[in-house]
Amino acid sequence: MTTQPEKSTGFAATDVLVSEFDGGPDTVQRAISTPEEIQPHTELGLKDDEYDRIRQILGRRPTASELAMYSIMWSEHCSYKSSKVHLRQFGEKAPQNTRMLAGIGENAGVVQISEDLAVTFKVESHNHPSFVEPYQGAATGVGGIVRDILAMGARPIAVMDPLRFGAADHPDTARVLPGVVAGIGGYGNCLGLPNIGGEIVFDPTYQGNPLVNALSIGVLPVSRLQHKEAAGVGNVVVLLGARTGRDGIGGVSVLASATFDEEAEQRRPSVQVGDPFMEKLLIESCLELYDAGLVAGIQDLGGAGLTCALTETAAAAGTGMRVWLERVPLREASMSPTEILASESQERMLLIVTPENLAQVLAVAEKWGVWATAIGEVTPAEADGSPGRLVISWNDHVVVDVPPGSLADDGPVYARPIREPADLILLQADKAETLPRPSTGDELRETVLRMVASPNLCDKTWVTEQYDRYVLGNTVLAQPEDSGVLRIDERTGLGVALSVDGNGRFARLDPYEGAKLALAEAFRNVAVTGAEPVAVTDCLNFGSPEDPAVMWQFAEAVRGLADGCQQLGTPVTGGNVSFYNQTGAAAIHPTPVVGVLGVFDDVSRRIPMGFPQGGDGDQLFLLGETATELSGSEWAWVTHGHLGGRPPKVDLVREQRLGALMSRASQAGHVAAAHDLSDGGLAQALVESCLRYEVGARIALPDDGTTSFVYLFSESAGRALVAVPRGHDKAFVALAADYGVPCTPIGVTSREPVLEVRDEFSIPLPELREAWTSTLPKLFGGVAEIAGRHGDPEHAANPDAPVGDHGDAVLATAAAGAAMETAAPVEADGVSSSAALSVELEISEGDAVPGGPIEPAE
C-alpha cells in the first residue's frame, strides 16, 4: 500500500517517491531486499552517474530518506560541485593575516579586532525564494544569515542587504520589490537589529531573477568562539528552537539549484516561513548557553535543514551519530521521515552537549520558551579507524545508515567546460566613449537632473526608512553613507565599518576586471570613512553552471577577486555561490557582490559623506585621476540604454594609497567629509554630498584639457571627493603628496543652497532634491501604503485579503523587537550594558508605538 503526504511540497522525494509500505517507511532492510526498485533520482536533480555512485557508496539502493539527503547535500547549493575547483584560489592566494580566527568552511568568517574581541560576518543569497514569495523569501534570508553569525558564538549586531531587481517600471518589479523590502524590514526590525547599508540596483537582466543577498555581522569575545564538530562519544544531540514543519522542503535542490520556468508559481510551498520572535528567543538562549560553557558543538539549520546539520557536524569530527527522528517536535504529526530530514523550517539550531550538561541546557531553553529535545547521541568511529556512520531511525525502523562524510564532503566535483561568451568581442568593441555627449552648460544641467532621478542613482529613502538603522544605539553611520559604521566597545570607541558593492554591467564587459572593481569600490567605501579594511566576504551570483559561457564568467570573476584580495592583503573569510540565476537561456549579468570589513580604533574619528553644516568655505578636493572611462557607466545606460566597451581600469596600489591617506587624515582631523566616486561619477557624489545636510557647493573644474562632461560623469576608479576645513588644506595637500595620491582643488562649500559649476550651470538644491527623491514613490507608492500591504506575514500569505489599517501593528511589532533587545545581557559580549539603547514606548489604547526619532550615536 502506498500513501502520499497530505500536502504537495514540490519535492520529488516526498511527492513522487514511495514513502510508506504496508504502514511503514522505506527502511534500510527493505532497500537491501528490493535492489531494483525504480527511484526518481533525476527529479531530485541527481544525474545517472551520481545515483550510481550513491549505490556504490552504500552497497545497495538508497532508502527514500537517504536519496533525499544525497539529492540535497549533492545539490549545487550545498556541495559547490561546479565552483569548488575555482574557489580553491581563495585559499591558495590568501594573504598572510594574523587577524583571522575562522575562515572558509566555517559558518562565517571570524576576525579579531582587539586582544579580547572578534567580529564575524558573512553574506549569502536567498534569490529564488524571494522571487516565488518575496516577503517570506527575504525575511528568512535575514533569519538564516543571522543564525550563521550566532553559530560562531557571536551576538548578531547588524544586517545589510544588497538587492537587485528587474527594470524599475516593470510590473513584476512592483510585485517583488515591496515584498522583499517589507520582509527584510519586518524580520530585522523585530529582531532589534539595525540595517546599516546595502545596495538597490535595477536592471532588466534581473527580471524574473531578483538578487536578494543578506549580510550579518556579530561580535564575540575571542574566548567564546564556537565550532560545529560533533566531538565526544556519548555526547547528546539536541535540537533547539522552533518545531519542524513542511515549509521549505526541497528548497536548496528545487529552488536554489535549478533555473526558473513557468512552473515557478507551483513551487510556492518550498519557501520557508519565518518567525523573528522565535529567532530572538533562540539568539538569547544560545548566548546564555555559550556563556555558561554548556555547548560542545553547534550548527544552525538553514538550507538542507536536519540533513545538513547532522551530516556536517558528524563529518567535521569524524564521528558517527545515532538519531531517533520520532523525537523531533513537529508542527504536523503526519510528516514522514523524509520530510522531517528535508524540512527547512526556520529558527532551529543543532547542539552537541555532554550528558551531564543536558539538564541545564533544557532548563535554559525552557526559561526562554524554546523547544529543546534530545534527538540523538554521538557514536564512535569504526573499529578500523574509519569515520563513524550516521544511523537514523523512525519508530524503530532504520531509515538512514550512511557515512556522513559521503554527504558533507565527498559530493561530486566538476571541472565544467568554460568558453568565452561568443558576443564578448563585439560587445567590448562597442565603446560608450564614442556616444554623443552633452557639451553645453544647459545640456550638462539637464543630464545631471536626469541622472539623479534615474532608478539606480535616485534617493533610496523610500526603502531605507522601512528599516530601523539605530536600534541598539551603536550605529555611528548608516544609509546613505558610503559604509555602515558600528561602535563595538563603548569604553574605547573600538568599531568596524562595512560596505557591500558589485556592478553587474562591469562584470558583463570583463568579469575579471569587474570583480576587482567590485572589491576596489567596497574597499574604497570603507577607506573613505577612515577605517582600515581588513577582510572580505562575497556572494557570487551567476547563471547556470551548465552553460560554458557562464562558467567562464565565474572562473574569471573568482580569479579577479582572488588576485585582488591577495594584492590588497584582505583575505576572503567566506561567502556564498548562487548559480542558476536565469530564466530559460537568459542568464543575469555576472554579479559578484563583495563585502569589505574595516576596523576603527576609535569611531569618533569616522568621516561622514555629507558636507558639514556650518562649514561654509570648506575646501573641496578631488582625489585620484580622472580618465575618459564611460563604458558600462550609469550615464551610458541612462541616456543611451547602452552597454558595451571595457570597464574602467582598476589600480589596487592606488586604492591602497588612497585608503592609507584617508586613515591618516581621519586621525589628524584634516577631513570633514568624504565620498567615494563610483556610479554616476563626480556629479552624483556632489549631489549626494550637498543634499545630505542641505549644503551648497561652488565648483571650478580643472582647465587641463579634460572636458567638464568627462570630469562630471566618468566612472574612473580610485577617486574620492573630500571636504577639508579651512586651515587644514595645506596640511592635507602635503599629506596627499606623501602618500602619492593626486589631489586637485575643485571648489568650496557654500551656505547658499545651490550646486554651481562655474561657466557651465547652476542648480538650486530644492530642484535637485525634487528630482532625486520623487522617483521611487512615483513607481511604488507611499511607504505607509506598502507597510500596510506587506507589513505582516499573515497578509503576505494572503495578499488578496482586505488590508485594513496595519500601520500601528507594524510599528508595535518593530517596537516590541527593539524593547526585547534592551533586556539582553550585553556584558556577555564584552560590551558595556549601556550600549543597549533604551527605547521609550508610548502606550495608547493598547497600541505600542516608538516615542520619537532615535538619533545616531555620537
Side-chain angles (χ1 to χ4, degrees), residues 280-635:
K280 179 62 183 172
L281 298 174
L282 185 65
I283 291 171
E284 298 305 331
S285 58
C286 284
L287 292 172
E288 183 168 334
L289 292 172
Y290 297 154
D291 289 329
L294 299 176
V295 178
I298 186 166
Q299 175 76 351
D300 75 297
L301 274 73
L306 261 179
T307 289
C308 181
L310 293 171
T311 56
E312 286 194 352
T313 52
T319 56
M321 201 175 280
R322 181 73 173 87
V323 176
W324 291 269
L325 274 189
E326 66 272 12
R327 299 181 182 180
V328 174
L330 302 178
R331 293 206 301 267
E332 302 174 67
S334 62
M335 291 179 68
S336 70
T338 304
E339 291 175 310
I340 297 170
L341 288 166
S343 169
E344 294 181 10
S345 292
Q346 297 293 284
E347 294 85 41
R348 299 181 299 163
M349 306 287 281
L350 191 76
L351 309 182
I352 309 298
V353 302
T354 61
E356 56 267 26
N357 287 336
L358 179 60
Q360 289 178 268
V361 169
L362 299 181
V364 170
E366 183 178 7
K367 168 188 171 182
W368 287 102
V370 298
W371 289 83
T373 310
I375 65 169
E377 64 181 12
V378 178
T379 56
E382 297 292 295
D384 61 2
S386 59
R389 296 184 71 84
L390 173 61
V391 179
I392 302 174
S393 64
W394 169 253
N395 292 322
D396 297 325
H397 298 285
V398 176
V399 294
V400 173
D401 184 353
V402 298
S406 68
L407 286 150
D409 302 322
D410 301 334
V413 178
Y414 296 130
R416 294 195 183 272
I418 62 175
R419 183 180 64 246
E420 181 180 298
D423 64 348
L424 188 62
I425 293 178
L426 292 177
L427 189 68
Q428 291 178 339
D430 184 17
K431 299 179 180 179
E433 287 76 11
T434 63
L435 296 171
R437 60 183 71 170
S439 56
T440 69
D442 288 344
E443 290 173 341
L444 288 172
R445 188 183 195 278
E446 188 277 333
T447 302
V448 170
L449 290 170
R450 182 178 179 184
M451 291 283 289
V452 300
S454 65
N456 286 341
L457 299 182
C458 71
D459 177 32
K460 303 303 192 299
T461 300
W462 184 93
V463 170
T464 59
E465 70 182 10
Q466 298 185 55
Y467 306 149
D468 193 330
R469 288 169 279 174
Y470 301 118
V471 64
L472 296 182
N474 281 315
T475 301
V476 179
L477 294 177
Q479 310 101 326
E481 301 287 341
D482 287 320
S483 294
V485 176
L486 296 165
R487 179 175 50 231
I488 299 299
D489 189 325
E490 196 173 71
R491 179 178 57 84
T492 65
L494 178 72
V496 295
L498 267 173
S499 178
V500 285
D501 285 287
N503 189 310
R505 289 199 300 267
F506 287 165
R508 175 68 173 92
L509 298 177
D510 187 332
Y512 178 84
E513 292 296 329
K516 290 175 72 174
L517 280 162
L519 171 65
E521 184 180 350
F523 182 97
R524 191 184 325 123
N525 279 334
V526 167
V528 296
T529 66
E532 176 195 357
V534 297
V536 167
T537 184
D538 62 70
C539 192
L540 307 176
N541 304 275
F542 288 78
S544 171
E546 297 165 48
D547 182 341
V550 169
M551 277 311 298
W552 180 86
Q553 292 172 332
F554 179 81
E556 286 294 285
V558 170
R559 185 171 69 90
L561 186 55
D563 287 350
C565 287
Q566 184 179 44
Q567 191 166 359
L568 289 175
T570 52
V572 174
T573 62
N576 176 234
V577 175
S578 176
F579 277 134
Y580 293 102
N581 291 290
Q582 64 183 66
T583 302
I588 64 166
H589 290 330
T591 310
V593 171
V594 180
V596 170
L597 173 76
V599 177
F600 277 103
D601 56 1
D602 186 353
V603 295
S604 65
R605 65 175 178 85
R606 84 282 191 187
I607 303 173
M609 60 165 273
F611 298 148
Q613 293 175 318
D616 183 39
D618 285 354
Q619 185 81 48
L620 301 180
F621 291 93
L622 176 60
L623 303 181
E625 295 183 345
T626 302
T628 306
E629 294 179 305
L630 303 169
S631 292
S633 69
E634 281 294 329
W635 169 79

Side-chain angles (χ1 to χ4, degrees), residues 5 85 129 144 189 215 260 314 316 331 335 399 432 437 451 457 485 581 585 614 619 636 698 703 707 711-712 841:
V85 295
N189 292 351
L215 180 147
F260 276 150
R331 293 206 301 267
M335 291 179 68
V399 294
R437 60 183 71 170
M451 291 283 289
L457 299 182
V485 176
N581 291 290
Q619 185 81 48
R698 300 195 302 274
D703 184 14
T707 66
Y711 263 115
L712 289 171
L841 302 179

Side-chain angles (χ1 to χ4, degrees), residues 690-715:
C690 286
L691 293 181
R692 187 76 172 102
Y693 301 118
E694 298 295 328
V695 176
R698 300 195 302 274
I699 305 299
L701 296 172
D703 184 14
D704 58 2
T706 300
T707 66
S708 296
F709 166 78
V710 169
Y711 263 115
L712 289 171
F713 298 107
S714 170
E715 295 187 7

Side-chain angles (χ1 to χ4, degrees), residues 715-762:
E715 295 187 7
S716 294
R719 298 183 301 157
L721 172 68
V722 299
V724 177
R726 282 183 292 183
H728 289 259
D729 51 330
K730 290 183 180 179
F732 179 77
V733 170
L735 195 63
D738 289 343
Y739 282 95
V741 177
C743 180
T744 307
I746 60 168
V748 294
T749 60
S750 171
R751 291 180 183 174
E752 185 180 0
V754 65
L755 173 59
E756 176 190 343
V757 178
R758 190 173 65 187
D759 300 330
E760 298 292 358
F761 60 82
S762 177

